[in-house]
Amino acid sequence: MKRTIAVSLIGTQLDVGAKVDRWARWRPNVSLCSQDNLVIHQLHLLHDNHGTKLANTISGDIESVSPETQVQLHKVNFKNPWDFEEVYAKLYDWCHQQMFDTEANDYLFHITTGTHVVQICSFLLAESGHFPGKLIQTSPDKSNKNKSVGTVQIIDLDLSKYDQLATRFDKEHLEGKEFLKGGIKTKNKAFNRLISQIEKVAIRSKEPIMLTGPTGAGKSQLASRIYQLKKRRLTLAGEFVSVNCATLKGENAMAALFGHTKGAFTGAQKERSGYLLTANKGVLFLDEIGELGLEEQAMLLHAIENKTFHPVGSDRTVSSDFQIIAGTNKDLKQAVLQGKFREDLLARINLWNYALPGLKDRKEDISANIDFELERFEQKSGQRVRFNKEARNKFEKFAVSQQASWLGNFRDLSSAVTRLSTLADSSRISTHDVEEEITRLQQAWFSPKAIQESQLAQSYLSAEILEDLDNFELEQLNYVLGVCLRHSSMASAGRELFNKSRTKKSNINDSARLQKYLRKYQLNWSDLFS
């Protein structure tokens, strides 16, 4: 059976007692060794030079109430018991000198006595394993039944053992996920798993995050919510700076990102701090990062790695400690092969890469997003609008059908609900309203670009290959090419093309299947975008 060994400090105030009345009052170290249900076999009592007499008194008193307890006195002098560095160093050194035998003994660190700094350092030593035991706290008995003995509480630093704490952590985690989803009750399992991991990364990491996916998939909204979640959890103090890199062109791109001095170039009439400096201690969201020029990419890589950069026209170094979230609907690996994106920058921002699915890949979430858009319209307009039952069924049936291409993803859905809500009479969306909206959406999706898709094969294939294709094969190829051009990656295009058959395969490799199909016509994925 294991022995119990405790470590404690003399309480220069609490352990003191007059010779006559000291047994009538509660004293923490005597209390520690007076418990009916806890036998302390050995007590290491730490004291300084001024506490030697008190330590001897306490040692004698413990011997009288607990003959089983062997008290060992240790002199540990703190010049300033409120100096964190000194206290931690001396307690660390004391622990380092001990020969702990955890197989034969259970160890307790008594944290009732000493300054708050001593108590914090005791916790840190136990939490880090330098003291291989648990914490114990003594306190007076509030019921006053046993005034001098008091009560004890052992504190196990394995927080997973505390049901109430675990429940709080689970609730906090759930709240974080719901916040990132905007409160939308999503059902898509893959998307929910993705959000669950993003919630953990958002709280625990300051490294770059890359959000990929088609236009309108919600990259900007998610980046903003990641920032807001970090702000709520007090993991950052700065601002959220959102930049669409597609709008940064020419010499203004460098100046907008990194700032510039007065007179650095024509039109620079005053100094500008730049987006990177504005995002100091916060989050910099660079949407469409693939649109940045190579020179800006090189400077951005240096700024990410070193947290320093030079404004345009300046030789002074500026510091900014920002977290970057990058967004893109392009295949940046393909852009690297084409020499349009730096491989080293991609490697740096690709630590956490999350591909957001388009609306067509999350059809089970369409109903919840309709409700979300209705609530958002109500908040903006102050008008509560709802579908009648037949209209809701008709719209949802169309929304999840093959007729609905949702080229603009959630932006298209948001626009559709806004139009329906605005045009609804008596705040009720009717089947007639839905029929008109379906027509509007189909007309928008059936654009001149869509008409041109019927001739896509002629743009990529030689005359010799085209001559050997029958009409059915040509129509099929045109459709496949049209789908490919709407996506940023083979995997994304493959998911749309093989949406049924892929679910029946044990090993899903949409990219390989699509590449094999294209090779029948001597085509590669890169050929479509060159």
Side-chain angles (χ1 to χ4, degrees), residues 84-362:
F84 187 92
E85 186 175 1
E86 180 198 0
V87 171
Y88 186 85
K90 289 186 175 177
L91 288 178
Y92 175 90
D93 289 343
W94 186 88
C95 289
H96 190 66
Q97 294 164 6
Q98 306 307 306
M99 299 295 292
F100 294 113
D101 184 357
T102 55
E103 291 187 5
N105 306 310
D106 287 326
Y107 292 93
L108 300 171
F109 207 121
H110 186 211
I111 61 170
T112 304
T113 53
T115 64
H116 293 327
V117 171
V118 169
Q119 294 166 351
I120 292 171
C121 291
S122 304
F123 165 82
L124 293 174
L125 289 167
E127 193 271 339
S128 63
H130 292 99
F131 177 80
K134 302 175 182 178
L135 305 178
I136 188 168
Q137 186 173 21
T138 56
S139 58
D141 187 350
K142 294 181 179 180
S143 67
N144 223 18
K145 293 179 180 178
N146 204 340
K147 192 171 184 181
S148 63
V149 175
T151 61
V152 296
Q153 180 184 11
I154 294 177
I155 304 169
D156 191 341
L157 295 182
D158 183 358
L159 299 182
S160 65
K161 294 182 178 179
Y162 295 93
D163 291 339
Q164 189 174 5
L165 285 176
T167 301
R168 286 181 180 272
F169 292 151
D170 290 342
K171 182 180 179 183
E172 188 178 55
H173 183 46
L174 180 61
E175 288 174 349
K177 290 192 293 183
E178 292 304 314
F179 179 78
L180 289 178
K181 294 190 294 184
I184 303 173
K185 305 296 182 182
T186 57
K187 297 179 180 179
N188 184 277
K189 293 181 179 179
F191 181 73
N192 286 339
R193 285 196 300 269
L194 179 145
I195 290 296
S196 182
Q197 186 176 119
I198 290 177
E199 189 265 350
K200 295 177 184 178
V201 171
I203 300 305
R204 302 174 186 175
S205 175
K206 293 184 179 179
E207 295 297 326
I209 297 174
M210 187 156 74
L211 305 177
T212 64
T215 299
K219 298 185 291 292
S220 299
Q221 292 87 341
L222 181 56
S224 177
R225 290 192 185 113
I226 289 173
Y227 164 78
Q228 292 172 50
L229 181 61
K230 294 173 76 73
K231 190 85 169 178
R232 289 170 61 171
R233 300 288 178 84
L234 304 178
T235 60
L236 50 73
E239 298 181 22
F240 176 72
V241 179
S242 179
V243 183
N244 188 331
C245 296
T247 65
L248 304 179
K249 300 296 181 183
E251 64 180 10
N252 290 330
M254 195 77 75
L257 286 170
F258 305 101
H260 62 78
T261 60
K262 181 179 179 180
F265 52 86
T266 304
Q269 299 179 357
K270 61 180 181 179
E271 183 177 308
R272 179 178 177 178
S273 58
Y275 293 126
L276 268 69
L277 186 58
T278 305
N280 185 34
K281 304 297 182 184
V283 169
L284 176 66
F285 175 53
L286 295 181
D287 197 11
E288 306 303 343
I289 193 172
E291 299 294 333
L292 280 182
L294 292 174
E295 190 175 358
E296 289 80 15
Q297 292 176 30
M299 282 191 66
L300 177 62
L301 175 61
H302 181 275
I304 294 172
E305 293 185 333
N306 300 288
K307 306 300 182 184
T308 61
F309 55 91
H310 291 93
V312 177
S314 174
D315 56 2
R316 67 184 178 90
T317 300
V318 174
S319 299
S320 180
D321 184 13
F322 58 88
Q323 179 179 5
I324 185 171
I325 300 178
T328 182
N329 62 4
K330 288 187 173 182
D331 184 346
L332 293 185
K333 291 182 180 179
Q334 186 65 34
V336 168
L337 295 177
Q338 296 171 350
K340 297 179 181 179
F341 201 83
R342 292 181 63 99
E343 185 175 11
D344 48 4
L345 177 57
L346 177 58
R348 188 66 184 87
I349 64 176
N350 204 32
L351 174 63
W352 299 110
N353 187 326
Y354 298 104
L356 302 188
L359 186 57
K360 288 193 70 173
D361 297 320
R362 291 175 53 195

Side-chain angles (χ1 to χ4, degrees), residues 332-520:
L332 293 185
K333 291 182 180 179
Q334 186 65 34
V336 168
L337 295 177
Q338 296 171 350
K340 297 179 181 179
F341 201 83
R342 292 181 63 99
E343 185 175 11
D344 48 4
L345 177 57
L346 177 58
R348 188 66 184 87
I349 64 176
N350 204 32
L351 174 63
W352 299 110
N353 187 326
Y354 298 104
L356 302 188
L359 186 57
K360 288 193 70 173
D361 297 320
R362 291 175 53 195
K363 289 184 177 180
E364 61 267 62
D365 291 338
I366 286 179
S367 181
N369 275 278
I370 291 173
D371 291 334
F372 173 76
E373 295 298 340
L374 287 171
E375 291 175 7
R376 190 159 71 164
F377 178 83
E378 181 180 348
Q379 292 171 1
K380 288 182 177 180
S381 67
Q383 182 182 4
R384 180 181 174 85
V385 179
R386 291 293 181 265
F387 287 84
N388 66 41
K389 184 176 181 180
E390 294 78 10
R392 177 71 180 240
N393 290 339
K394 189 177 187 67
F395 187 68
E396 285 193 15
K397 184 177 180 180
F398 164 76
V400 301
S401 71
Q402 292 296 327
Q403 301 175 50
S405 60
W406 297 117
L407 296 180
N409 292 294
F410 293 93
R411 289 177 184 169
D412 277 357
L413 182 62
S414 177
S415 298
V417 174
T418 298
R419 286 190 293 265
L420 285 166
S421 301
T422 302
L423 296 174
D425 292 326
S426 303
S427 298
R428 299 293 290 179
I429 299 171
S430 66
T431 53
H432 176 70
D433 295 326
V434 168
E435 289 167 356
E436 288 188 337
E437 180 57 31
I438 289 174
T439 300
R440 275 191 293 268
L441 287 169
Q442 291 178 323
Q443 288 176 346
W445 294 331
F446 193 67
S447 61
K449 179 181 177 182
I451 297 173
Q452 293 169 10
E453 286 183 359
S454 63
Q455 300 175 342
L456 282 173
Q458 286 89 324
S459 302
Y460 293 102
L461 303 184
S462 65
E464 293 80 8
I465 296 177
L466 286 170
E467 285 179 3
D468 292 331
L469 299 181
D470 57 34
N471 289 334
F472 170 78
E473 202 170 8
L474 182 61
E475 288 294 322
Q476 184 186 60
L477 178 59
N478 279 324
Y479 172 73
V480 171
L481 293 175
V483 171
C484 289
L485 292 174
R486 293 200 300 270
H487 289 268
S488 60
S489 68
M490 277 198 294
S492 177
R495 283 195 296 271
E496 179 176 345
L497 290 166
F498 310 122
N499 65 313
K500 298 295 184 182
S501 59
R502 70 193 303 271
T503 62
K504 302 174 183 178
K505 291 183 173 293
S506 56
N507 294 318
I508 300 173
N509 195 334
D510 300 324
S511 298
R513 293 178 69 188
L514 178 54
Q515 186 63 66
K516 184 177 180 180
Y517 175 84
L518 293 174
R519 282 176 183 162
K520 286 173 53 181

